[in-house]
Amino acid sequence: MRKFAFETVDVFTEERFGGNQLAVFTDARGLSDAEMQSLAAEMNYSETTFVLPAEDAANTARIRIFTRTHEMPFAGHPNVGTAFVLARHGRAGDGALRFEEIAGLVEVKVSQDAAGEVTGATIAAPQPLSTGVELPAEAIAACAGLAPSDVVVANHRPVRASVGVFFVLAEVTSEALSRATPDLSQFRAIRDANPGLEGRFSLFIYARDGATIRARMFAPISGTWEDPATGSASATVAALLLSLDGGDSAAFTLTQGVEMGRPSLLRLTASRGADGIRATVGGSCVPVFRGEALL
């Protein structure tokens, strides 16, 4: 019988049983791809991470991220939560970690309280902002159980965008955000009708009041009916808003998961650089479980 240790944390929250749940397998050596996918499905969280030795000795670790159904090239809350766990294991001596991932190198800064205890982390997304296909407001409204007039198009149309992993981003009215309900059949219809989505469709809807954002994320096709905190999508929104607003940099706070009873708080920045607009996302974490998987 093989044993693999794991820890779970609640990410983007200071309160246990808030935020987004994450399972971290702290030493995944010996696990096959199929076993990692099976363990992620068994944990039944939106994502599970597996820590492996770095290919470059200058980096901290190689991180693989799995949803219930597939591997991800990058994701926000898995990086923040994994950094929190590894820092508590003493692997961030200088307060920083470097993770090798499919989407590229992810740099992480660990946050601590006055007593030196690790409280959370902030990650830099591995890629600058890129945008792709735009989608009709009417179709996005149908996916979220809303009326077309609930989708705000004055600033941008619903658009596929990424800073490491793609989401469709759509602004909605503040009132509509809380009553959105995903329609799986509509998600499938839009995915199948739009080759530019490359067979995957996760929808991040948000309402903005200056630098304060409220958001929800639906990915029912991949098994996540709703996500309480989506760091990669939030970072993408920050980068997109800076591209629309102008200026050299911007900072935002984003609240998600309220409708699920798992409120999350994400701190975002975006800045212009030589290769485009880059973003960061950070927040607090709380440890919850420790255990072993038996294979």
Side-chain angles (χ1 to χ4, degrees), residues 224-245:
T224 298
W225 195 255
E226 183 170 358
D227 198 33
T230 316
S232 48
S234 300
T236 308
V237 164
L240 179 66
L241 293 179
L242 179 61
S243 76
L244 297 171
D245 292 348

PDB file of all heavy atoms in Angstrom, residues 224-245:
ATOM      1  N   THR A 224     -17.636  22.110 -12.153  1.00  0.00           N
ATOM      2  CA  THR A 224     -17.708  23.143 -11.125  1.00  0.00           C
ATOM      3  C   THR A 224     -18.927  24.008 -11.400  1.00  0.00           C
ATOM      4  O   THR A 224     -18.898  24.899 -12.249  1.00  0.00           O
ATOM      5  CB  THR A 224     -16.435  24.009 -11.122  1.00  0.00           C
ATOM      6  OG1 THR A 224     -15.309  23.175 -10.812  1.00  0.00           O
ATOM      7  CG2 THR A 224     -16.538  25.110 -10.078  1.00  0.00           C
ATOM      8  N   TRP A 225     -20.020  23.703 -10.699  1.00  0.00           N
ATOM      9  CA  TRP A 225     -21.256  24.462 -10.917  1.00  0.00           C
ATOM     10  C   TRP A 225     -21.024  25.930 -10.603  1.00  0.00           C
ATOM     11  O   TRP A 225     -21.426  26.811 -11.358  1.00  0.00           O
ATOM     12  CB  TRP A 225     -22.376  23.874 -10.068  1.00  0.00           C
ATOM     13  CG  TRP A 225     -23.736  24.344 -10.465  1.00  0.00           C
ATOM     14  CD1 TRP A 225     -24.516  25.245  -9.812  1.00  0.00           C
ATOM     15  CD2 TRP A 225     -24.472  23.932 -11.616  1.00  0.00           C
ATOM     16  NE1 TRP A 225     -25.694  25.422 -10.481  1.00  0.00           N
ATOM     17  CE2 TRP A 225     -25.706  24.627 -11.598  1.00  0.00           C
ATOM     18  CE3 TRP A 225     -24.216  23.035 -12.657  1.00  0.00           C
ATOM     19  CZ2 TRP A 225     -26.670  24.464 -12.581  1.00  0.00           C
ATOM     20  CZ3 TRP A 225     -25.178  22.862 -13.648  1.00  0.00           C
ATOM     21  CH2 TRP A 225     -26.390  23.582 -13.601  1.00  0.00           C
ATOM     22  N   GLU A 226     -20.351  26.185  -9.476  1.00  0.00           N
ATOM     23  CA  GLU A 226     -19.939  27.539  -9.135  1.00  0.00           C
ATOM     24  C   GLU A 226     -18.690  27.447  -8.288  1.00  0.00           C
ATOM     25  O   GLU A 226     -18.516  26.521  -7.502  1.00  0.00           O
ATOM     26  CB  GLU A 226     -21.038  28.303  -8.394  1.00  0.00           C
ATOM     27  CG  GLU A 226     -20.654  29.740  -8.094  1.00  0.00           C
ATOM     28  CD  GLU A 226     -21.802  30.610  -7.576  1.00  0.00           C
ATOM     29  OE1 GLU A 226     -22.935  30.095  -7.473  1.00  0.00           O
ATOM     30  OE2 GLU A 226     -21.549  31.801  -7.279  1.00  0.00           O
ATOM     31  N   ASP A 227     -17.802  28.439  -8.450  1.00  0.00           N
ATOM     32  CA  ASP A 227     -16.523  28.470  -7.752  1.00  0.00           C
ATOM     33  C   ASP A 227     -16.546  29.621  -6.747  1.00  0.00           C
ATOM     34  O   ASP A 227     -16.928  30.734  -7.101  1.00  0.00           O
ATOM     35  CB  ASP A 227     -15.404  28.685  -8.773  1.00  0.00           C
ATOM     36  CG  ASP A 227     -14.035  28.306  -8.240  1.00  0.00           C
ATOM     37  OD1 ASP A 227     -13.949  27.363  -7.434  1.00  0.00           O
ATOM     38  OD2 ASP A 227     -13.045  28.936  -8.662  1.00  0.00           O
ATOM     39  N   PRO A 228     -16.125  29.381  -5.493  1.00  0.00           N
ATOM     40  CA  PRO A 228     -16.181  30.455  -4.510  1.00  0.00           C
ATOM     41  C   PRO A 228     -15.072  31.495  -4.633  1.00  0.00           C
ATOM     42  O   PRO A 228     -15.201  32.593  -4.083  1.00  0.00           O
ATOM     43  CB  PRO A 228     -16.079  29.718  -3.172  1.00  0.00           C
ATOM     44  CG  PRO A 228     -15.394  28.445  -3.491  1.00  0.00           C
ATOM     45  CD  PRO A 228     -15.802  28.080  -4.876  1.00  0.00           C
ATOM     46  N   ALA A 229     -13.986  31.168  -5.329  1.00  0.00           N
ATOM     47  CA  ALA A 229     -12.900  32.138  -5.533  1.00  0.00           C
ATOM     48  C   ALA A 229     -12.065  31.661  -6.708  1.00  0.00           C
ATOM     49  O   ALA A 229     -11.574  30.530  -6.697  1.00  0.00           O
ATOM     50  CB  ALA A 229     -12.032  32.263  -4.287  1.00  0.00           C
ATOM     51  N   THR A 230     -11.913  32.503  -7.708  1.00  0.00           N
ATOM     52  CA  THR A 230     -11.209  32.115  -8.926  1.00  0.00           C
ATOM     53  C   THR A 230     -10.096  33.120  -9.184  1.00  0.00           C
ATOM     54  O   THR A 230     -10.291  34.155  -9.833  1.00  0.00           O
ATOM     55  CB  THR A 230     -12.177  32.073 -10.120  1.00  0.00           C
ATOM     56  OG1 THR A 230     -13.394  31.422  -9.728  1.00  0.00           O
ATOM     57  CG2 THR A 230     -11.557  31.315 -11.279  1.00  0.00           C
ATOM     58  N   GLY A 231      -8.917  32.819  -8.677  1.00  0.00           N
ATOM     59  CA  GLY A 231      -7.827  33.773  -8.732  1.00  0.00           C
ATOM     60  C   GLY A 231      -7.365  34.102 -10.134  1.00  0.00           C
ATOM     61  O   GLY A 231      -7.072  35.261 -10.455  1.00  0.00           O
ATOM     62  N   SER A 232      -7.270  33.091 -11.002  1.00  0.00           N
ATOM     63  CA  SER A 232      -6.787  33.333 -12.359  1.00  0.00           C
ATOM     64  C   SER A 232      -7.757  34.198 -13.140  1.00  0.00           C
ATOM     65  O   SER A 232      -7.344  35.095 -13.894  1.00  0.00           O
ATOM     66  CB  SER A 232      -6.548  32.002 -13.074  1.00  0.00           C
ATOM     67  OG  SER A 232      -7.654  31.131 -12.931  1.00  0.00           O
ATOM     68  N   ALA A 233      -9.056  33.971 -12.980  1.00  0.00           N
ATOM     69  CA  ALA A 233     -10.046  34.816 -13.660  1.00  0.00           C
ATOM     70  C   ALA A 233     -10.047  36.226 -13.087  1.00  0.00           C
ATOM     71  O   ALA A 233     -10.178  37.208 -13.826  1.00  0.00           O
ATOM     72  CB  ALA A 233     -11.433  34.194 -13.533  1.00  0.00           C
ATOM     73  N   SER A 234      -9.898  36.340 -11.774  1.00  0.00           N
ATOM     74  CA  SER A 234      -9.874  37.661 -11.143  1.00  0.00           C
ATOM     75  C   SER A 234      -8.679  38.478 -11.622  1.00  0.00           C
ATOM     76  O   SER A 234      -8.797  39.679 -11.908  1.00  0.00           O
ATOM     77  CB  SER A 234      -9.832  37.511  -9.619  1.00  0.00           C
ATOM     78  OG  SER A 234     -10.970  36.817  -9.149  1.00  0.00           O
ATOM     79  N   ALA A 235      -7.527  37.831 -11.718  1.00  0.00           N
ATOM     80  CA  ALA A 235      -6.345  38.518 -12.230  1.00  0.00           C
ATOM     81  C   ALA A 235      -6.555  38.954 -13.674  1.00  0.00           C
ATOM     82  O   ALA A 235      -6.107  40.037 -14.083  1.00  0.00           O
ATOM     83  CB  ALA A 235      -5.125  37.614 -12.122  1.00  0.00           C
ATOM     84  N   THR A 236      -7.244  38.122 -14.450  1.00  0.00           N
ATOM     85  CA  THR A 236      -7.523  38.474 -15.840  1.00  0.00           C
ATOM     86  C   THR A 236      -8.436  39.691 -15.918  1.00  0.00           C
ATOM     87  O   THR A 236      -8.240  40.581 -16.758  1.00  0.00           O
ATOM     88  CB  THR A 236      -8.156  37.287 -16.577  1.00  0.00           C
ATOM     89  OG1 THR A 236      -7.343  36.119 -16.396  1.00  0.00           O
ATOM     90  CG2 THR A 236      -8.274  37.567 -18.067  1.00  0.00           C
ATOM     91  N   VAL A 237      -9.435  39.761 -15.055  1.00  0.00           N
ATOM     92  CA  VAL A 237     -10.309  40.931 -15.010  1.00  0.00           C
ATOM     93  C   VAL A 237      -9.506  42.187 -14.678  1.00  0.00           C
ATOM     94  O   VAL A 237      -9.696  43.248 -15.290  1.00  0.00           O
ATOM     95  CB  VAL A 237     -11.445  40.731 -13.992  1.00  0.00           C
ATOM     96  CG1 VAL A 237     -12.114  42.048 -13.650  1.00  0.00           C
ATOM     97  CG2 VAL A 237     -12.478  39.764 -14.551  1.00  0.00           C
ATOM     98  N   ALA A 238      -8.613  42.088 -13.700  1.00  0.00           N
ATOM     99  CA  ALA A 238      -7.794  43.249 -13.334  1.00  0.00           C
ATOM    100  C   ALA A 238      -6.989  43.739 -14.537  1.00  0.00           C
ATOM    101  O   ALA A 238      -6.910  44.947 -14.804  1.00  0.00           O
ATOM    102  CB  ALA A 238      -6.867  42.895 -12.178  1.00  0.00           C
ATOM    103  N   ALA A 239      -6.383  42.807 -15.273  1.00  0.00           N
ATOM    104  CA  ALA A 239      -5.598  43.179 -16.449  1.00  0.00           C
ATOM    105  C   ALA A 239      -6.488  43.775 -17.538  1.00  0.00           C
ATOM    106  O   ALA A 239      -6.125  44.769 -18.181  1.00  0.00           O
ATOM    107  CB  ALA A 239      -4.849  41.963 -16.974  1.00  0.00           C
ATOM    108  N   LEU A 240      -7.658  43.184 -17.733  1.00  0.00           N
ATOM    109  CA  LEU A 240      -8.578  43.693 -18.757  1.00  0.00           C
ATOM    110  C   LEU A 240      -9.047  45.103 -18.409  1.00  0.00           C
ATOM    111  O   LEU A 240      -9.093  45.988 -19.287  1.00  0.00           O
ATOM    112  CB  LEU A 240      -9.778  42.756 -18.900  1.00  0.00           C
ATOM    113  CG  LEU A 240     -10.839  43.185 -19.917  1.00  0.00           C
ATOM    114  CD1 LEU A 240     -10.283  43.147 -21.338  1.00  0.00           C
ATOM    115  CD2 LEU A 240     -12.092  42.311 -19.803  1.00  0.00           C
ATOM    116  N   LEU A 241      -9.381  45.337 -17.153  1.00  0.00           N
ATOM    117  CA  LEU A 241      -9.859  46.662 -16.754  1.00  0.00           C
ATOM    118  C   LEU A 241      -8.774  47.715 -16.934  1.00  0.00           C
ATOM    119  O   LEU A 241      -9.058  48.844 -17.356  1.00  0.00           O
ATOM    120  CB  LEU A 241     -10.359  46.630 -15.315  1.00  0.00           C
ATOM    121  CG  LEU A 241     -11.624  45.805 -15.073  1.00  0.00           C
ATOM    122  CD1 LEU A 241     -12.000  45.821 -13.598  1.00  0.00           C
ATOM    123  CD2 LEU A 241     -12.785  46.293 -15.926  1.00  0.00           C
ATOM    124  N   LEU A 242      -7.527  47.374 -16.627  1.00  0.00           N
ATOM    125  CA  LEU A 242      -6.456  48.338 -16.849  1.00  0.00           C
ATOM    126  C   LEU A 242      -6.318  48.642 -18.341  1.00  0.00           C
ATOM    127  O   LEU A 242      -6.103  49.793 -18.734  1.00  0.00           O
ATOM    128  CB  LEU A 242      -5.135  47.818 -16.294  1.00  0.00           C
ATOM    129  CG  LEU A 242      -3.932  48.749 -16.491  1.00  0.00           C
ATOM    130  CD1 LEU A 242      -4.142  50.084 -15.785  1.00  0.00           C
ATOM    131  CD2 LEU A 242      -2.640  48.081 -16.018  1.00  0.00           C
ATOM    132  N   SER A 243      -6.470  47.619 -19.170  1.00  0.00           N
ATOM    133  CA  SER A 243      -6.369  47.846 -20.615  1.00  0.00           C
ATOM    134  C   SER A 243      -7.453  48.781 -21.110  1.00  0.00           C
ATOM    135  O   SER A 243      -7.238  49.554 -22.051  1.00  0.00           O
ATOM    136  CB  SER A 243      -6.432  46.506 -21.362  1.00  0.00           C
ATOM    137  OG  SER A 243      -7.754  45.993 -21.409  1.00  0.00           O
ATOM    138  N   LEU A 244      -8.620  48.728 -20.472  1.00  0.00           N
ATOM    139  CA  LEU A 244      -9.743  49.574 -20.882  1.00  0.00           C
ATOM    140  C   LEU A 244      -9.666  50.962 -20.261  1.00  0.00           C
ATOM    141  O   LEU A 244     -10.009  51.964 -20.908  1.00  0.00           O
ATOM    142  CB  LEU A 244     -11.061  48.906 -20.483  1.00  0.00           C
ATOM    143  CG  LEU A 244     -11.357  47.560 -21.138  1.00  0.00           C
ATOM    144  CD1 LEU A 244     -12.582  46.917 -20.489  1.00  0.00           C
ATOM    145  CD2 LEU A 244     -11.574  47.711 -22.638  1.00  0.00           C
ATOM    146  N   ASP A 245      -9.220  51.037 -19.014  1.00  0.00           N
ATOM    147  CA  ASP A 245      -9.210  52.311 -18.289  1.00  0.00           C
ATOM    148  C   ASP A 245      -8.042  53.201 -18.678  1.00  0.00           C
ATOM    149  O   ASP A 245      -8.116  54.424 -18.547  1.00  0.00           O
ATOM    150  CB  ASP A 245      -9.150  52.066 -16.780  1.00  0.00           C
ATOM    151  CG  ASP A 245     -10.414  51.431 -16.231  1.00  0.00           C
ATOM    152  OD1 ASP A 245     -11.423  51.380 -16.962  1.00  0.00           O
ATOM    153  OD2 ASP A 245     -10.386  50.976 -15.070  1.00  0.00           O
TER     154      ASP A 245
END
